Amino acid sequence: MNRVLLKYSGNTIYVIEENGIDYNTLKDNLAKRGYKIIPVNGDKKSLEKFFPKKYKETKENYLIIIIENQPSRHIVEHLKHLNLTVEWLLSILNVCNIGFCIYNKEQYLAYNNIFQNITELSHESIKNARIGTFLSDKSRKSLKNHIKKCLDKEISKFSVDLEMKQKREGEKFYKFFGYTLNVKGNSLGVGYILNETHHDFDDPEKLRINKLIISELNQAFRMLNKIQSIDIHKMEKDSKEKIINKLAEDQPNYSRVNLSDREYEVLILIYKGYTNQQIANKLYISKRTVDFHRSNLLGKTNFRNTADLIRFAVQNHLIIE
């Protein structure tokens, strides 16, 4: 049997081929998307070079903290410790080509390497930049307005389309998702940015998946930050119930939702206004089966009616309006 092993690094894919496989079609298709293929010999020495036995730490899996921009020494120490905890999360963001940053109303406080790649700014430029410096005037005003509302707690999250000052060929807009983050009593912002090079904004399904990934990763990041923020010494006199309530504060239900493919199809059709019988006809299943899926959807999300279910699904990006 013929086999091909692939290793991805940046925009390069290393191909280890056996039995003289012709991979020209693959090479041509990937070239159109900005990737290049480099053949690698299948001998042991070459394999050990590209697939080391032990994982090697790289800066790509860590948050780049801008020490000079931190509001206080306590936040610097907090982010340094948090950096070690969220290495796996940053690794996922890198694999998914999602930019990540932490900021206040005026400056960037930390970022990942994908954020730097998207903005095409040096570390010095990001350090000295005001929020939205790399954006067009209209986009910068929109982003700053949303960030202000978020950090002032008028809203808890937002998403905006942005346009860069210097646009790469074939790229026009970027999508930015912002959330609040409490660090040592300071209200900061967490942002995730997608670009058109690695994400198809015209495909609703792919956009929905990206939103779900960002939402889930941010929830994990937020909870790790909250756990690290707990001062055990100050809480020794508190009851266990207060500690549990502090950890569970504002935790959304969607982290526990696990919909099947069929349940998701039913949810989309409910959102579009189809009756149970119309859904049954469209999916070639019985009305009784649709009733069962609808009941499961309400049970998994802990809602009593369809209106609340749809509102929840929209707010948490399970479906796109």
Side-chain angles (χ1 to χ4, degrees):
M1 180 182 291
N2 293 334
R3 291 172 294 172
V4 177
L5 302 176
L6 301 176
K7 178 177 174 63
Y8 172 76
S9 176
N11 283 346
T12 302
I13 297 178
Y14 299 94
V15 179
I16 300 158
E17 55 176 331
E18 294 184 1
N19 300 332
I21 290 175
D22 180 7
Y23 58 92
N24 287 327
T25 301
L26 175 64
K27 183 177 180 180
D28 292 341
N29 280 312
L30 290 173
K32 294 177 182 178
R33 293 167 172 78
Y35 298 95
K36 60 181 178 180
I37 290 182
I38 296 179
V40 178
N41 292 329
D43 57 84
K44 183 178 179 181
K45 186 176 181 180
S46 297
L47 288 177
E48 288 179 348
K49 177 182 177 181
F50 289 93
F51 296 91
K53 294 180 180 179
K54 293 184 179 181
Y55 171 75
K56 294 182 179 180
E57 293 183 347
T58 67
K59 291 184 178 180
E60 291 183 353
N61 293 327
Y62 289 99
L63 199 60
I64 302 168
I65 300 170
I66 307 176
I67 304 296
E68 298 87 342
N69 290 357
Q70 305 305 318
S72 70
R73 176 179 57 82
H74 298 294
I75 292 183
V76 173
E77 294 304 315
H78 181 87
L79 292 180
K80 283 183 177 179
H81 288 298
L82 189 62
N83 213 357
L84 300 175
T85 307
V86 300
E87 179 189 351
W88 62 271
L89 184 149
L90 294 169
S91 178
I92 294 174
L93 290 173
N94 288 334
V95 170
C96 296
N97 286 294
I98 298 174
F100 176 85
C101 61
I102 299 176
Y103 50 84
N104 56 25
K105 289 182 181 179
E106 299 297 331
Q107 295 175 303
Y108 297 102
L109 307 180
Y111 60 91
N112 72 344
N113 65 309
I114 301 298
F115 178 84
Q116 186 172 20
N117 292 341
I118 290 174
T119 60
E120 295 187 307
L121 297 175
S122 65
H123 175 75
E124 284 297 313
S125 296
I126 296 175
K127 180 182 75 174
N128 297 319
R130 313 302 285 179
I131 290 294
T133 296
F134 53 89
L135 301 173
S136 66
D137 291 342
K138 183 179 179 181
S139 291
R140 183 175 65 255
K141 290 178 182 178
S142 176
L143 179 61
K144 292 191 70 171
N145 181 52
H146 280 87
I147 287 176
K148 184 179 184 302
K149 288 183 177 180
C150 207
L151 298 188
D152 288 344
K153 299 181 180 179
E154 294 179 30
I155 56 176
S156 60
K157 59 183 179 180
F158 66 88
S159 63
V160 289
D161 289 336
L162 304 174
E163 185 176 16
M164 299 290 182
K165 278 183 180 178
Q166 301 295 329
K167 294 179 289 186
R168 294 180 181 177
E169 184 178 352
E171 288 188 348
K172 294 183 179 180
F173 295 99
Y174 300 74
K175 292 189 179 294
F176 188 96
F177 302 86
Y179 300 84
T180 56
L181 183 73
N182 186 289
V183 178
K184 299 294 183 181
N186 292 267
S187 182
L188 304 179
V190 172
Y192 303 82
I193 187 169
L194 308 178
N195 65 352
E196 289 183 310
T197 298
H198 298 100
H199 304 278
D200 186 356
F201 295 161
D202 295 326
D203 188 327
E205 180 65 15
K206 289 182 180 178
L207 183 59
R208 184 185 76 86
I209 292 172
N210 281 323
K211 286 184 176 181
L212 284 174
I213 290 172
I214 289 171
S215 184
E216 291 298 322
L217 287 177
N218 185 69
Q219 176 62 12
F221 178 77
R222 181 176 160 278
M223 291 307 295
L224 288 170
N225 174 73
K226 182 180 291 187
I227 291 171
Q228 184 177 299
S229 299
I230 294 176
D231 192 328
I232 299 299
H233 299 290
K234 289 183 179 180
M235 296 186 70
E236 284 179 347
K237 296 180 180 180
D238 289 352
S239 66
K240 291 182 179 180
E241 183 178 355
K242 287 184 179 180
I243 295 176
I244 291 172
N245 289 339
K246 184 174 181 65
L247 286 173
E249 181 184 352
D250 297 328
Q251 183 172 354
N253 292 327
Y254 67 81
S255 61
R256 300 188 181 94
V257 175
N258 183 22
L259 303 184
S260 67
D261 291 341
R262 181 64 82 187
E263 286 168 345
Y264 176 69
E265 289 177 328
V266 171
L267 175 63
I268 294 295
L269 294 175
I270 291 174
Y271 169 73
K272 291 182 177 180
Y274 288 94
T275 65
N276 281 13
Q277 186 59 62
Q278 290 172 327
I279 293 173
N281 296 339
K282 200 167 186 65
L283 298 179
Y284 302 102
I285 56 178
S286 69
K287 180 178 177 296
R288 185 174 181 179
T289 302
V290 176
D291 293 337
F292 175 75
H293 288 313
R294 184 188 285 263
S295 177
N296 277 351
L297 285 167
L298 293 172
K300 286 184 176 182
T301 54
N302 200 28
F303 290 113
R304 294 183 178 180
N305 58 66
T306 303
D308 287 338
L309 170 66
I310 294 302
R311 187 179 305 110
F312 166 84
V314 171
Q315 289 175 346
N316 292 289
H317 312 303
L318 294 177
I319 53 180
I320 302 172
E321 290 186 289

